[in-house]
Amino acid sequence: MTKNNGTALTREGILGVTDRELVKVIVPEWHGAVWIRTMTGAERYDFEIPGPGGQLNLKQIRERLLVKALCDEKGKRLFTDDDVDSLSERNATVIDRLFDTARTINKIGDDAVDAEEKKSEGDR
């Protein structure tokens, strides 16, 4: 990405720039590597749609983020939203590790997730 020298951006300039971050993660348990990418605005919105009671939907939160963030080396998603249940059947340690990376590059803070988890526990 080229640094902006303060000149005014155009519509074409904004829409034409590649602004997605890709991070390669080695996954020894899966005998290879995956890439994790930043989500688009639409994907982020879809991920953050509130669950019951207007709270962040915590059900399969790790897998729901990963189906949007796991990609190949060119940034193409590996999974569709329909793959959440299938991804839930994978090694929890791997899922947690990948989730932490996806959460970091997508600026999804611990505080937001932790606060929602505490609210959910209080509702039980």
Side-chain angles (χ1 to χ4, degrees), residues 4-119:
N4 185 350
N5 61 5
T7 58
L9 294 169
T10 64
R11 175 186 183 277
E12 292 76 21
I14 294 168
L15 298 178
V17 71
T18 300
D19 62 355
R20 306 280 297 280
E21 182 179 353
L22 291 176
V23 175
K24 183 178 181 179
V25 180
I26 304 297
V27 185
E29 299 89 342
W30 294 350
H31 311 289
V34 294
W35 282 257
I36 297 178
R37 66 184 177 92
T38 52
M39 292 183 283
T40 65
E43 288 167 338
R44 177 76 180 243
Y45 175 79
D46 185 52
F47 174 74
E48 292 178 336
I49 290 176
Q55 298 174 351
L56 180 64
N57 180 3
L58 294 176
K59 183 175 183 192
Q60 296 175 306
I61 190 169
R62 288 163 180 74
E63 295 83 358
R64 288 189 306 104
L65 176 58
L66 290 177
V67 297
K68 294 181 183 311
L70 288 174
C71 63
D72 65 17
E73 64 276 3
K74 294 182 181 176
K76 183 176 185 245
R77 280 176 63 172
L78 296 178
F79 299 99
T80 69
D81 293 343
D82 293 332
D83 290 318
V84 169
D85 288 336
S86 297
L87 198 54
S88 294
E89 296 297 320
R90 305 309 328 155
N91 181 323
T93 302
V94 175
I95 295 298
D96 283 346
R97 192 168 63 239
L98 295 173
F99 173 74
D100 287 342
T101 301
R103 185 168 59 171
T104 299
I105 71 165
N106 281 285
K107 309 279 192 271
I108 299 170
D110 292 336
D111 295 341
V113 173
D114 291 344
E116 290 299 332
E117 285 177 345
K118 286 179 185 173
K119 284 182 194 175

